[in-house]
Amino acid sequence: MSKLKTMSMEWTGEEFILIDQRYLPLEEKYVTCKTYEEVAKSIKDMVVRGAPAIGASAAFGYVLGVKEFIGKPEFEEKMKEVKKTLANTRPTAVNLFWALERMEKRLNEIKNEENIVELIEKEALDIAFEDIEANKTMGRFGGELLNDGDTVLTHCNTGSLATVDYGTALGVIRGARDMGKDIKVYADETRPYLQGARLTVWELYKDGFDVTLISDNMAGWVMKQGKINAVIVGADRIAANGDTANKIGTYSVAVLAKEHGIPFYVAAPLSTIDLDTPTGNEIPIEERSHDEVRYCHKSKMVPEEIKVYNPAFDVTPNELITAIITEKGVVRPPYNENLKKLFEK
Ligand code: MRU
């Protein structure tokens, strides 16, 4: 019997199983991780992606590390290595580091207990179940911001696949529907990795939503035509001043939303807010393989010798963000003050 089983991940107590997001929607394949190294590889290679899903995966990877090294004289040293290996996978989404810090702190608290494995496994499961709860709560808060009949534009994939379940920005859209509102969605394809076209459209279509796919360069024109009432995106890291790193292309959508007077919302749990990073300038931006740009999914479009730049994320300055939807409520500017208050409550 699985202890956790969602669309994106499963924890059996022995193995961590991930739906392989690299093959969706054409093939439904799974990757089974039995070691922390396999989890780290799955995060790096984007078998699993999306900030909260990466965080939860790292937590289960950490549990696999504890199981492997418990009882060995070099346990403490090995656990440092486990943490480092899991951390050295993707640099931008802060949920990864947040989850690893939490797991390490818990391990230190319980290191003299007899049932270390059971307790550390519980911590990972808590992270996972808290994520689902946070998403549902964000869905209720964010759902209030949408009106019956609205059409929302979203970027990247922020749904059940990007989280443990339900989703952040897609969670808000789901939350609005759960309130009885009819919400339509436009999904940007999200070049170069096509999370919007491959994952968001698949998820929303399966869930019965009226979803329309557009290529990224169509966003401005659909706004101009009056088709969009709100933009909602997720986040990989929100700095203390509200500057938000999210999938490359988010910044352009925010600029377009401002030009067209459309509210631009970010939906993210507290585990994505990094008060230790003062502004977006200090957020590390991952640069990924140039082949992601040279190829359109699996077809090569340009020769090797063409220079490529492939930042996987951009930063949307706080002044372009109408509100940040969290599980503790909807935060509006000034973000420097109001984000901090979330952690004081
Ligand atoms: O490179 P990815 O696919 O991991 O990037 C994911 C995103 O940018 C998402 O928008 C973000 O993690 C929020 S997911 C709830």
PDB file of all heavy atoms in Angstrom, residues 162-173:
ATOM      1  N   ALA A 162       3.329  19.779 -11.320  1.00  0.00           N
ATOM      2  CA  ALA A 162       4.389  20.663 -10.823  1.00  0.00           C
ATOM      3  C   ALA A 162       4.432  20.725  -9.303  1.00  0.00           C
ATOM      4  O   ALA A 162       5.320  21.344  -8.729  1.00  0.00           O
ATOM      5  CB  ALA A 162       4.184  22.071 -11.377  1.00  0.00           C
ATOM      6  N   THR A 163       3.451  20.093  -8.676  1.00  0.00           N
ATOM      7  CA  THR A 163       3.343  20.128  -7.209  1.00  0.00           C
ATOM      8  C   THR A 163       3.153  18.675  -6.750  1.00  0.00           C
ATOM      9  O   THR A 163       3.240  17.756  -7.568  1.00  0.00           O
ATOM     10  CB  THR A 163       2.112  20.958  -6.792  1.00  0.00           C
ATOM     11  OG1 THR A 163       0.942  20.371  -7.397  1.00  0.00           O
ATOM     12  CG2 THR A 163       2.234  22.410  -7.248  1.00  0.00           C
ATOM     13  N   VAL A 164       2.845  18.504  -5.469  1.00  0.00           N
ATOM     14  CA  VAL A 164       2.523  17.126  -5.059  1.00  0.00           C
ATOM     15  C   VAL A 164       1.147  16.775  -5.618  1.00  0.00           C
ATOM     16  O   VAL A 164       0.921  15.662  -6.091  1.00  0.00           O
ATOM     17  CB  VAL A 164       2.600  16.980  -3.524  1.00  0.00           C
ATOM     18  CG1 VAL A 164       2.248  15.557  -3.108  1.00  0.00           C
ATOM     19  CG2 VAL A 164       4.001  17.345  -3.042  1.00  0.00           C
ATOM     20  N   ASP A 165       0.255  17.755  -5.604  1.00  0.00           N
ATOM     21  CA  ASP A 165      -1.052  17.567  -6.246  1.00  0.00           C
ATOM     22  C   ASP A 165      -1.786  18.907  -6.310  1.00  0.00           C
ATOM     23  O   ASP A 165      -1.450  19.831  -5.572  1.00  0.00           O
ATOM     24  CB  ASP A 165      -1.898  16.554  -5.465  1.00  0.00           C
ATOM     25  CG  ASP A 165      -2.928  15.860  -6.370  1.00  0.00           C
ATOM     26  OD1 ASP A 165      -2.921  16.114  -7.593  1.00  0.00           O
ATOM     27  OD2 ASP A 165      -3.727  15.071  -5.853  1.00  0.00           O
ATOM     28  N   TYR A 166      -2.737  19.028  -7.188  1.00  0.00           N
ATOM     29  CA  TYR A 166      -3.689  20.136  -7.321  1.00  0.00           C
ATOM     30  C   TYR A 166      -3.110  21.347  -8.041  1.00  0.00           C
ATOM     31  O   TYR A 166      -3.689  21.839  -9.003  1.00  0.00           O
ATOM     32  CB  TYR A 166      -4.232  20.530  -5.940  1.00  0.00           C
ATOM     33  CG  TYR A 166      -5.559  21.259  -5.980  1.00  0.00           C
ATOM     34  CD1 TYR A 166      -6.739  20.595  -6.340  1.00  0.00           C
ATOM     35  CD2 TYR A 166      -5.649  22.611  -5.646  1.00  0.00           C
ATOM     36  CE1 TYR A 166      -7.965  21.266  -6.349  1.00  0.00           C
ATOM     37  CE2 TYR A 166      -6.873  23.283  -5.651  1.00  0.00           C
ATOM     38  CZ  TYR A 166      -8.028  22.601  -6.003  1.00  0.00           C
ATOM     39  OH  TYR A 166      -9.227  23.261  -6.004  1.00  0.00           O
ATOM     40  N   GLY A 167      -1.974  21.862  -7.572  1.00  0.00           N
ATOM     41  CA  GLY A 167      -1.344  22.955  -8.304  1.00  0.00           C
ATOM     42  C   GLY A 167      -1.428  24.300  -7.610  1.00  0.00           C
ATOM     43  O   GLY A 167      -2.222  24.501  -6.697  1.00  0.00           O
ATOM     44  N   THR A 168      -0.579  25.225  -8.081  1.00  0.00           N
ATOM     45  CA  THR A 168      -0.555  26.588  -7.539  1.00  0.00           C
ATOM     46  C   THR A 168      -1.438  27.488  -8.407  1.00  0.00           C
ATOM     47  O   THR A 168      -2.604  27.707  -8.073  1.00  0.00           O
ATOM     48  CB  THR A 168       0.892  27.102  -7.458  1.00  0.00           C
ATOM     49  OG1 THR A 168       1.489  27.028  -8.759  1.00  0.00           O
ATOM     50  CG2 THR A 168       1.711  26.305  -6.474  1.00  0.00           C
ATOM     51  N   ALA A 169      -0.908  27.953  -9.553  1.00  0.00           N
ATOM     52  CA  ALA A 169      -1.759  28.780 -10.439  1.00  0.00           C
ATOM     53  C   ALA A 169      -2.934  27.948 -10.965  1.00  0.00           C
ATOM     54  O   ALA A 169      -4.080  28.408 -10.974  1.00  0.00           O
ATOM     55  CB  ALA A 169      -0.934  29.338 -11.585  1.00  0.00           C
ATOM     56  N   LEU A 170      -2.659  26.711 -11.367  1.00  0.00           N
ATOM     57  CA  LEU A 170      -3.777  25.858 -11.822  1.00  0.00           C
ATOM     58  C   LEU A 170      -4.675  25.503 -10.634  1.00  0.00           C
ATOM     59  O   LEU A 170      -5.873  25.271 -10.808  1.00  0.00           O
ATOM     60  CB  LEU A 170      -3.267  24.588 -12.514  1.00  0.00           C
ATOM     61  CG  LEU A 170      -2.544  24.757 -13.855  1.00  0.00           C
ATOM     62  CD1 LEU A 170      -2.461  23.425 -14.600  1.00  0.00           C
ATOM     63  CD2 LEU A 170      -3.176  25.806 -14.748  1.00  0.00           C
ATOM     64  N   GLY A 171      -4.114  25.480  -9.442  1.00  0.00           N
ATOM     65  CA  GLY A 171      -4.911  25.250  -8.239  1.00  0.00           C
ATOM     66  C   GLY A 171      -5.923  26.382  -8.037  1.00  0.00           C
ATOM     67  O   GLY A 171      -7.058  26.142  -7.617  1.00  0.00           O
ATOM     68  N   VAL A 172      -5.509  27.604  -8.338  1.00  0.00           N
ATOM     69  CA  VAL A 172      -6.425  28.746  -8.215  1.00  0.00           C
ATOM     70  C   VAL A 172      -7.555  28.614  -9.238  1.00  0.00           C
ATOM     71  O   VAL A 172      -8.733  28.850  -8.929  1.00  0.00           O
ATOM     72  CB  VAL A 172      -5.644  30.075  -8.405  1.00  0.00           C
ATOM     73  CG1 VAL A 172      -6.594  31.254  -8.561  1.00  0.00           C
ATOM     74  CG2 VAL A 172      -4.698  30.292  -7.220  1.00  0.00           C
ATOM     75  N   ILE A 173      -7.188  28.201 -10.421  1.00  0.00           N
ATOM     76  CA  ILE A 173      -8.209  28.013 -11.474  1.00  0.00           C
ATOM     77  C   ILE A 173      -9.167  26.883 -11.047  1.00  0.00           C
ATOM     78  O   ILE A 173     -10.383  26.992 -11.180  1.00  0.00           O
ATOM     79  CB  ILE A 173      -7.503  27.711 -12.822  1.00  0.00           C
ATOM     80  CG1 ILE A 173      -6.758  28.976 -13.283  1.00  0.00           C
ATOM     81  CG2 ILE A 173      -8.476  27.217 -13.872  1.00  0.00           C
ATOM     82  CD1 ILE A 173      -5.736  28.748 -14.374  1.00  0.00           C
TER      83      ILE A 173
END
